[in-house]
Amino acid sequence: MSGRDAHSAPMSPAHAALLLKVSRRTIMRAIESLELLAVRDNRNHWKISPEELDRWASAQCAPSEHAHTKMP
C-alpha cells in the first residue's frame, strides 16, 4: 500500500478506485452498502480517508483457504 501511504488527505471515490484498480462503481457500491465509510464534504462530494480505504481493501482481499484448491 505504498502508493496510498503518501496520501494523508481524504480522497474521492474516483481516486480511491484508481489506487485500488477497481471501478468507481465498485467503490460507490461499497459506500452505499456501508462496507466502506465515507463522508460528504460541504460541496456534497464523497471523501474517503486513506485509513478507511486500507481497511476496506484489506477486507476485500482476505485470503480464503478455499481459494486455491488442489486438483487431482
Side-chain angles (χ1 to χ4, degrees):
M1 312 218 200
S2 59
R4 281 173 267 149
D5 292 340
H7 301 283
S8 59
M11 64 192 82
S12 69
H15 188 191
L18 183 66
L19 287 173
L20 295 180
K21 296 181 173 74
V22 298
S23 71
R24 181 183 178 280
R25 185 68 198 130
T26 296
I27 298 295
M28 292 308 299
R29 274 196 305 265
I31 292 170
E32 291 164 0
S33 68
L34 302 177
E35 293 176 22
L36 176 60
L37 301 179
V39 295
R40 287 189 182 250
D41 65 12
N42 60 351
R43 292 170 47 187
N44 207 28
H45 297 159
W46 286 109
K47 294 297 178 185
I48 305 162
S49 74
E51 298 81 16
E52 177 59 21
L53 186 62
D54 284 341
R55 183 203 60 78
W56 179 79
S58 295
Q60 302 312 300
C61 299
S64 170
E65 62 186 60
H66 302 292
H68 300 286
T69 57
K70 294 183 180 179
M71 298 298 288

